[in-house]
Amino acid sequence: MAFEGYLLPPSGKDWSKIADYKANGGYEGAEKALRSMKPADVVAEVKNSGLRGRGGAGFGAGMKWSFLPQDVQRPRYIACNADESEPGTYKDRQILERNPHQLIEGLLIAAWANTIDAAYVYMRGEYRGPFENLNAAVAEARAAGYLGRNVLGSGLDFDVFVHRGAGAYICGEETGLMESLEGRKGQPRKRPPFPAIAGLWKRPTVINNVETMSHVPHVIRKGADWFKTIGTEKSTGSTIFGVSGQVVRPGAFELPFGTPLREIIFEHAGGLRPGRTLKAVIPGGVSMPVLDAETAMQVNMDHDSLQKVGSLLGTGAVVVFDDTSCMVRAAIIISRFFRHESCGQCTQCREGTGWLHKLMLQVEAGTARKSDLDVVDEITRQMEGKTICALSDAAAWGSGWFLRRFRPEFEAHIDRGGCPHAGTSFEV
Amino acid sequence: MPLSEELKARITAEFPKYPERRAVLLTALHFIQEECGGWVSPDVVPELAELLGILPIDVEEVVSFYPMYHPDRVGRFHVQVCTNIACCIRGARGVVRRLEEQLDVLSGEVTEDGLFSIGEVECLGSCGTAPVLMVNNERFVENVSADDVPGLVERLRARAAGGGANGSNGAGGGR
């Protein structure tokens, strides 16, 4: 039987109104948690479920929560990451547009579990529709008594505020997000201290992605044991895979972790256009190493499986390239993106992203030398693991792995003095 | 140009949500762009800084850091096309080119009548409905093709003639 999912309403349905959400089991998890569970039991249940962050890093959500000081001093905050900006990624938007109360319920349960005063949902500024939809849902939840003073008679005073960003990718990095929310440039902070100790306004802060929080009501309502029956041993539950690029039916599909990438591309997304063959797939947003077709056809979409083949799950954003595509052009777009989005604090990232973009342009134009390809490789190594945040690593992987996995195509550009796919490939 | 009383009231109404006024800066800048011609004039900076209890430089560095804020004038309709990977794969470059032809300006420029400007932006989070464009800060126009551009421009011109630059009914395109 096909997996039905639990994060999104059935196709064509919208549960943005609280009545529709509640008619489908909505707020039952919160009722259960706040009326009958101790905060520590909620944390334990989430930990036991194996729920991992859906924002890209895949860190254990319950583990993260357990890092907050046990000696509770108020105020404490949640920062919910709705800055969805990783190219290829549009999964949180599905939740924000069609099931916003599920996020609010997740935030409420997390607030109970961690003794939180307020949650700030940091949403990318371009998401006008999702912003209005979530705000309307927050107002409904407040009117229904799920937010505000003494929620459900539990003694918890808790509210949710939706905060708009302004178009900077780096604000999806957890401490960049916090700087931005406080009204500054989104330049990431050095750690330690970690957000659990000193986050928003130097107070203990829980930070999770929209989708991560949206799983929480289901974990509490149906239990950790149920959750663990979905997905794989180390990647539990489902996730929303957003497919884009050269497929017949791009779209967002909620599926269990461990679903074969082949099935996602060829069944759910309708496969390739007639006569085309698969060339490459980015499995988790452009920060993650690209896969060649052969590997892509064999890998399953969970953390361990992707790591074994030299990539990472990231945000589960699947970008598909067929044989018409030029891999250098893909690398140009990706390196241009990171050059634009580097916040400029760390030299390796600020300079490295610019160099990579310039070299990729030269390869495409056919003016690079073969030795420049080794320079690209060297730059990417200098960019990894040496900076305040992981944007530099992502920039190095994003275009660097296109070179490593498609080197002959890069060399062909240099040999021919131009792009061999100029007649068929997408333009940059 | 002083901030209007209405605008100041809108900004101060946000204060209770946060422990510090400064946190309202990004929101305030969105409000200003919405109500003051789509950009952040240097004239409003000192007054906004004072309202939030910060220095003008604190405002300026934020305006220059975030791509959604415009320290220079943009068109009444700032048409922003995503040119990241998923949109380029599905023809975003052709959309930009058609806009340039139709409006007779290059990407990054403003038309002589001040009505339009073209911008290229990074991933908007609409990769399943690529290519996507955004007019000002309205709802996205999705699944847009180069052939949709003339109709889009016409609809925006009609809106300008009708006097309604604002409103969230989008650019009326997409799907």
Side-chain angles (χ1 to χ4, degrees):
Chain A
M1 202 181 77
F3 177 71
E4 284 180 4
Y6 50 86
L7 286 173
L8 298 174
S11 175
K13 294 259 194 307
D14 184 327
W15 292 347
S16 294
K17 292 272 175 244
I18 196 166
D20 293 322
Y21 182 61
K22 289 190 74 169
N24 289 283
Y27 288 107
E28 284 177 16
E31 301 263 0
K32 180 178 172 185
L34 273 71
R35 293 190 197 280
S36 69
M37 293 173 78
K38 291 195 186 92
D41 296 339
V42 177
V43 176
E45 192 74 12
V46 172
K47 220 173 181 175
N48 182 29
S49 76
L51 173 63
R52 294 173 70 163
R54 302 298 202 255
F59 196 81
M63 181 68 83
K64 212 182 223 183
W65 294 4
S66 69
F67 293 156
L68 264 75
Q70 297 303 303
D71 168 30
V72 176
Q73 293 183 22
R74 317 288 280 271
R76 311 196 329 167
Y77 299 112
I78 291 172
C80 178
N81 194 340
D83 194 52
E84 181 163 77
S85 313
E86 172 73 22
T89 312
Y90 55 100
K91 65 185 182 67
D92 294 340
R93 189 177 151 203
Q94 313 304 316
I95 295 170
L96 297 166
E97 286 183 340
R98 294 170 59 209
N99 210 2
H101 280 287
Q102 182 180 244
L103 170 61
I104 297 168
E105 186 182 1
L107 294 170
L108 173 57
I109 295 169
W112 174 246
N114 297 290
T115 318
I116 301 291
D117 298 86
Y120 294 91
V121 179
Y122 184 100
M123 192 181 301
R124 62 174 306 175
E126 296 91 337
Y127 275 7
R128 183 64 174 254
F131 173 74
E132 289 171 0
N133 210 44
L134 181 59
N135 256 338
V138 166
E140 276 189 327
R142 214 173 272 148
Y146 291 113
L147 299 174
R149 295 207 175 278
N150 191 20
V151 178
L152 301 178
S154 66
L156 178 75
D157 298 340
F158 173 66
D159 215 334
V160 172
F161 303 107
V162 190
H163 184 97
R164 301 180 63 206
Y169 171 74
I170 192 60
C171 297
E173 197 279 346
E174 60 179 19
T175 59
L177 183 153
M178 290 173 188
E179 282 291 301
S180 178
L181 215 156
E182 292 179 12
R184 298 181 177 82
K185 293 183 287 184
Q187 294 186 316
R189 300 171 179 169
K190 282 183 191 159
R191 280 144 284 192
F194 287 90
I197 306 300
L200 281 174
W201 299 288
K202 299 193 170 61
R203 303 298 310 164
T205 302
V206 167
I207 178 156
N208 290 116
N209 163 267
V210 167
E211 189 197 321
T212 313
M213 282 295 187
S214 299
H215 285 278
V216 170
H218 304 280
V219 169
I220 297 305
R221 184 155 68 100
K222 298 178 208 159
D225 290 335
W226 163 82
F227 195 77
K228 286 191 284 192
T229 63
I230 303 163
T232 68
E233 191 191 339
K234 289 183 180 163
S235 302
T236 52
S238 69
T239 195
I240 302 171
F241 295 107
V243 186
S244 63
Q246 283 158 327
V247 288
V248 173
R249 286 193 308 273
F253 310 101
E254 185 192 345
L255 295 164
F257 274 136
T259 300
L261 182 52
R262 172 198 284 268
E263 179 190 320
I264 294 172
I265 295 172
F266 286 92
E267 292 178 28
H268 301 285
L272 308 173
R273 295 173 294 174
R276 300 269 64 97
T277 55
L278 188 68
K279 184 166 188 178
V281 183
I282 303 174
V286 304
S287 295
M288 300 305 155
V290 64
L291 302 172
D292 60 36
E294 195 185 337
T295 311
M297 282 302 86
Q298 289 166 13
V299 76
N300 294 339
M301 291 294 280
D302 60 83
H303 289 284
D304 287 358
S305 300
L306 278 160
Q307 213 170 339
K308 271 185 210 142
V309 298
S311 189
L312 290 163
L313 184 73
T315 58
V318 175
V319 187
V320 179
F321 299 88
D322 69 24
D323 56 334
T324 61
S325 291
C326 170
M327 297 291 95
V328 177
R329 292 185 181 188
I332 287 175
I333 293 173
I334 293 166
S335 57
R336 179 175 72 198
F337 169 72
F338 285 111
R339 181 185 191 178
H340 185 254
E341 301 300 336
S342 173
C343 85
Q345 281 192 109
C346 308
T347 309
Q348 293 89 336
C349 178
R350 183 184 63 243
E351 302 301 319
T353 52
W355 279 47
L356 286 180
H357 180 225
K358 283 181 202 164
L359 284 164
M360 294 303 172
L361 286 171
Q362 287 176 16
V363 173
E364 173 67 10
T367 56
R369 291 165 298 185
K370 287 266 174 73
S371 59
D372 288 335
L373 299 181
D374 299 324
V375 174
V376 169
D377 206 54
E378 174 61 20
I379 293 168
T380 60
R381 291 182 200 288
Q382 291 295 337
M383 289 170 70
E384 287 175 36
K386 296 185 171 67
T387 51
I388 292 173
C389 83
L391 186 140
S392 188
D393 304 74
W397 297 343
S399 52
W401 281 101
F402 266 92
L403 170 61
R404 279 171 218 153
R405 296 204 164 127
F406 295 93
R407 185 159 181 136
E409 187 169 329
F410 282 68
E411 290 174 345
H413 280 72
I414 296 170
D415 292 338
R416 291 171 56 112
C419 180
H421 303 285
T424 61
S425 180
F426 59 85
E427 297 174 84
V428 300
Chain B
M1 184 183 65
L3 296 173
S4 70
E5 288 308 313
E6 290 82 3
L7 194 46
K8 274 198 269 190
R10 239 184 120 186
I11 293 168
T12 51
E14 296 288 314
F15 289 170
K17 296 180 182 174
Y18 305 93
E20 289 178 4
R21 285 184 173 195
R22 182 184 189 136
V24 175
L25 177 54
L26 270 71
T27 301
L29 289 168
H30 282 304
F31 290 169
I32 287 169
Q33 288 203 153
E34 271 169 36
E35 299 192 15
C36 308
W39 68 304
V40 182
S41 160
D43 299 346
V44 305
V45 169
E47 197 180 354
L48 176 61
E50 197 185 330
L51 193 61
L52 301 180
I54 55 181
L55 298 172
I57 183 66
D58 297 327
V59 176
E60 283 162 4
E61 69 173 14
V62 161
V63 171
S64 68
F65 185 84
Y66 292 90
M68 283 183 76
Y69 301 132
H70 308 295
D72 297 301
R73 280 184 193 279
V74 291
R76 179 164 167 191
F77 299 111
H78 185 45
V79 184
Q80 301 144 92
V81 183
C82 170
T83 52
N84 208 298
I85 193 80
C87 284
C88 271
I89 289 177
R90 294 179 87 93
R93 187 50 56 191
V95 175
V96 174
R97 205 158 38 228
R98 190 68 75 85
L99 276 167
E100 291 177 329
E101 287 164 13
Q102 193 80 24
L103 299 171
D104 202 23
V105 288
L106 293 175
S107 175
E109 295 177 346
V110 187
T111 56
E112 224 164 76
D113 60 5
L115 209 50
F116 293 96
S117 51
I118 308 171
E120 291 173 34
V121 292
E122 297 299 352
C123 185
L124 289 175
S126 200
C127 316
T129 48
V132 61
L133 65 77
M134 179 174 76
V135 177
N136 299 338
N137 192 193
E138 298 173 4
R139 287 168 189 258
F140 298 160
V141 183
E142 298 170 69
N143 292 309
V144 67
S145 75
D147 290 341
D148 296 332
V149 167
L152 171 80
V153 169
E154 201 176 306
R155 280 194 301 278
L156 292 173
R157 281 195 202 282
R159 265 172 66 187
N166 292 317
S168 57
N169 60 338
R175 46 177 184 170

